[in-house]
Amino acid sequence: MNRDLAFTPNGRVPALPGDLPPGALPPAGRGRMAVHQNNLDLAGLLRIVREWRWLILAAMVLGLAGGIILTMLTTPLYRSFVTLEVNPPRVQVLDNDDQQSQSFQNWDFIATQVGLLQSRAVAERTAQDLNLAANPAVAGSEGTVQERLARATSVVAGGLNVTMPEEGTLIRYSYTSSDPQLAATIANGVADSFINAGLQRRFESSAYARQFLERQINKTRGDLEKSEQALARYAQSEGIINLGGTGTGQGGSNSPEAGNSLQGDSLAALNAALAQATARRVAAEGAYRASAASGPGSAVTASTQGLRTARAQLEAEYSEKRTSLQPEHPEMVSLRQRIDELGQQIARESAQVSAGVNNTLGAEYRGAVAAEQALQGRVNALKGQVLDLRGRSVRYGILQREVDTNRSLYDALLGRYKEIGVAGGIGTSPISIVDRGEPATAPFKPNLPKNLLAGLAIGLVGGLGAAIGLDLLRDTIRTREDMRAKLGLACIGQIPKRQTKGDFVEDLKDPGSLVSEAYSATAAALRFTTAQGAPRSLMITSTGPAEGKSSS
């Protein structure tokens, strides 16, 4: 035994289980030994920790020393953080569904921006903007400019760490370097290069759109010129004069059949003049027929008003003198002659005025009739021309609509080209910098407390593993349980090994010593091992020398 001396009923204690003679252990004992060797319970683990405590402590101290050495040998690393805000572009699909479509696109847009931020193109642009190829601490001093730029790009890409936001539109990333100032410079340079790269991509896309629109505008301009020339040739060959009025013909385009042609305008004017001539003819006819039926009337009265007044005065004087003079009186005869003469003048004047009025009204009536007939003939002639023009204007309308379509398309393309030119020149970026990187005041690596804890944990695990392994390799009997499990025998007594220097005989003489009490307990147990009491003879053996056989 390694520490204590134990007694078994048959008195034999082999060194190893493999040294047992045939038949020493029953099959049940061998099974219990196998089970004990393959299982490690809490009590066994505590026993191993207690027996191998110095090995475990040494492993833990070694782990702590390793953590300290690793901390001292590790190059200090500094991190600089930058926060960016992403503003996804708003695309309004429906008037009442703007917010829903926007929230649906936010996550994909932010994930795309995170991927672009980690791209090699941004790292290469950062290396170029900061001229890191000329920095020996980053790209070294050997190789060509392109090789140094490639090394600087790899350094920028390798030190960048981007975190995908779980919610919100803020992207936070860090850059790690052994130089705190360089870490802050490259972190800020990555943000600036990322924004500039996005603006450049937008400008390149708008430039491509402008080039495409320029080609489409040139093509549409050519089509418009061809259609206008075809329209002009057709109008010239058919003698169609389009006055360009405000009316719209078929298809919404200006057309001669809508009244914008010269014939149409002439017909409209002649129709208006014909209506006026008809009205004058009707008025003149009514006046003429009324004059022929009832006489001149008022015209005759107005013309003979003076003569009638003079005759009335003479008749009044004649009536006044008739009271005193006879009709044959010379004065009365003279008055009657003057009255008769005025009546004849009135009759002659009335006849002349009546004849003049009738002639005037008749002439006006005949003139109105002639004018109406002339206008009617001209209108009839123009109606035929307009109807003929309407038939010839079908082709003209088709050509006119083609011209209008090409002109609308040309104007739309030109307007879009101007909008793209303005938008491409503004350069609005959906990414903005919230917090710029600052030089770190302390390194985040190496972390001494973390390394010490890691070294302590590694030392503890390694020490426990080594203790368990050594304990499994050292197959010795150390406890009563080992006796039962490995040998299948009961333990009668256990004599402790003296831990200090001294005389073994003196311990036996002292009834209160542990050795004396252990031998007394063992001797008492031997009396119950057989039916006759204590055995008459004993064989004492052990697995090694100097384990107390002679003293026992």
Side-chain angles (χ1 to χ4, degrees):
M1 293 186 57
N2 182 27
R3 180 176 177 182
D4 300 330
L5 180 65
F7 293 91
T8 62
N10 57 6
R12 292 174 292 179
V13 184
L16 295 173
D19 296 336
L20 290 174
L25 286 177
R30 293 194 182 99
R32 288 194 299 271
M33 179 181 68
V35 171
H36 180 78
Q37 287 179 342
N38 292 332
N39 291 279
L40 184 64
D41 54 4
L42 180 61
L45 182 62
L46 293 177
R47 178 186 57 78
I48 292 174
V49 172
R50 185 175 61 255
E51 292 184 1
W52 299 94
R53 58 184 179 276
W54 295 112
L55 176 62
I56 296 175
L57 289 176
M60 293 174 63
V61 172
L62 184 62
L64 291 176
I68 296 174
I69 294 174
L70 181 63
T71 302
M72 297 177 64
L73 295 179
T74 302
T75 302
L77 297 178
Y78 300 85
R79 278 192 302 197
S80 181
F81 291 90
V82 175
T83 304
L84 302 178
E85 181 183 10
V86 181
N87 298 314
R90 295 185 176 271
V91 180
Q92 184 173 355
V93 180
L94 298 175
D95 293 338
N96 298 327
D97 200 22
D98 188 14
Q99 297 298 329
Q100 182 177 359
S101 62
Q102 178 65 18
S103 62
F104 177 75
Q105 296 178 359
N106 276 353
W107 181 256
D108 293 338
F109 184 80
I110 294 174
T112 302
Q113 298 304 313
V114 170
L116 292 175
L117 185 59
Q118 297 175 345
S119 63
R120 185 173 180 82
V122 173
E124 184 175 0
R125 186 184 183 96
T126 303
Q128 292 176 348
D129 294 342
L130 298 179
N131 195 20
L132 296 180
N135 190 345
V138 177
S141 57
E142 298 180 355
T144 62
V145 176
Q146 294 298 328
E147 293 175 350
R148 294 198 303 271
L149 179 61
R151 289 195 294 268
T153 301
S154 301
V155 170
V156 173
L160 192 63
N161 183 21
V162 184
T163 302
M164 182 68 186
E166 297 182 358
E167 58 182 2
T169 59
L170 294 180
I171 299 177
R172 193 166 187 259
Y173 70 91
S174 63
Y175 186 80
T176 304
S177 176
S178 59
D179 186 358
Q181 186 63 42
L182 181 62
T185 301
I186 294 180
N188 294 325
V190 168
D192 296 333
S193 300
F194 178 56
I195 294 175
N196 294 333
L199 294 177
Q200 183 177 0
R201 285 193 303 272
R202 292 188 59 192
F203 179 78
E204 290 175 352
S205 62
S206 63
Y208 174 78
R210 285 196 301 272
Q211 293 175 1
F212 174 77
L213 287 178
E214 285 177 358
R215 293 193 297 269
Q216 294 299 318
I217 287 173
N218 293 331
K219 181 179 180 300
T220 306
R221 185 189 297 115
D223 296 339
L224 178 60
E225 292 175 354
K226 292 178 181 179
S227 60
E228 288 178 344
Q229 291 173 1
L231 178 64
R233 286 195 300 268
Y234 182 78
Q236 185 176 4
S237 63
E238 296 295 333
I240 299 175
I241 301 176
N242 189 356
L243 301 180
T246 59
T248 56
Q250 297 177 356
S253 60
N254 294 331
S255 176
E257 61 180 296
N260 295 327
S261 63
L262 184 60
Q263 293 87 342
D265 288 350
S266 299
L267 180 60
L270 287 176
N271 278 328
L274 178 60
Q276 295 176 0
T278 302
R280 286 195 299 270
R281 190 264 305 167
V282 172
E285 183 179 2
Y288 176 71
R289 294 185 183 278
S291 176
S294 60
S298 60
V300 174
T301 301
S303 176
T304 61
Q305 183 65 35
L307 296 176
R308 292 178 185 276
T309 302
R311 188 180 68 173
Q313 292 176 355
L314 289 177
E315 287 179 350
E317 184 179 357
Y318 181 82
S319 297
E320 181 180 358
K321 289 181 177 183
R322 187 176 181 178
T323 58
S324 59
L325 296 177
Q326 291 295 325
E328 294 82 6
H329 191 275
E331 186 177 356
M332 295 295 288
V333 172
S334 176
L335 286 173
R336 172 53 61 187
Q337 292 177 351
R338 291 173 60 188
I339 289 172
D340 293 340
E341 185 178 358
L342 286 176
Q344 294 176 357
Q345 292 180 358
I346 290 173
R348 289 193 300 269
E349 185 68 24
S350 297
Q352 292 178 358
V353 171
S354 178
V357 169
N358 289 333
N359 292 333
T360 302
L361 293 176
E364 290 180 356
Y365 171 66
R366 288 188 294 272
V369 171
E372 182 184 11
Q373 291 176 351
L375 288 173
Q376 186 65 48
R378 181 60 179 163
V379 167
N380 293 334
L382 281 177
K383 283 183 178 178
Q385 295 180 6
V386 170
L387 291 176
D388 180 66
L389 177 63
R390 185 180 295 275
R392 290 182 289 116
S393 297
V394 175
R395 175 63 179 169
Y396 185 91
I398 295 174
L399 295 176
Q400 182 67 53
R401 285 192 294 272
E402 184 177 357
V403 170
D404 294 340
T405 302
N406 291 331
R407 181 177 289 110
S408 300
L409 183 58
Y410 176 76
D411 293 339
L413 290 174
L414 191 61
R416 183 58 179 167
Y417 179 79
K418 293 179 180 179
E419 292 177 1
I420 290 179
V422 173
I426 293 176
T428 303
S429 176
I431 307 298
S432 59
I433 300 177
V434 178
D435 293 327
R436 285 191 169 271
E438 299 292 338
T441 56
F444 79 99
K445 281 186 179 181
N447 190 337
L448 181 59
K450 183 177 179 180
N451 290 342
L452 290 178
L453 289 177
L456 183 63
I458 293 174
L460 177 61
V461 173
L464 285 175
I468 293 173
L470 292 176
D471 187 77
L472 293 176
L473 291 176
R474 192 183 64 173
D475 192 8
T476 58
I477 297 175
R478 293 177 291 277
T479 63
R480 294 175 180 266
E481 290 75 13
D482 291 343
M483 183 74 72
R484 297 188 184 94
K486 296 180 179 181
L487 301 180
L489 300 176
C491 183
I492 296 175
Q494 184 175 4
I495 309 301
K497 184 179 180 181
R498 186 180 179 88
Q499 301 297 327
T500 60
K501 295 181 179 181
D503 189 0
F504 179 74
V505 178
E506 296 296 330
D507 290 337
L508 291 177
K509 292 180 180 180
D510 183 7
S513 65
L514 294 177
V515 175
S516 178
E517 291 181 355
Y519 274 109
S520 298
T522 301
L526 286 174
R527 296 189 182 95
F528 299 98
T529 56
T530 64
Q532 293 80 18
R536 295 176 59 86
S537 61
L538 295 174
M539 183 184 71
I540 299 176
T541 184
S542 69
T543 59
E547 290 186 342
K549 295 184 291 297
S550 302
S551 301
S552 297

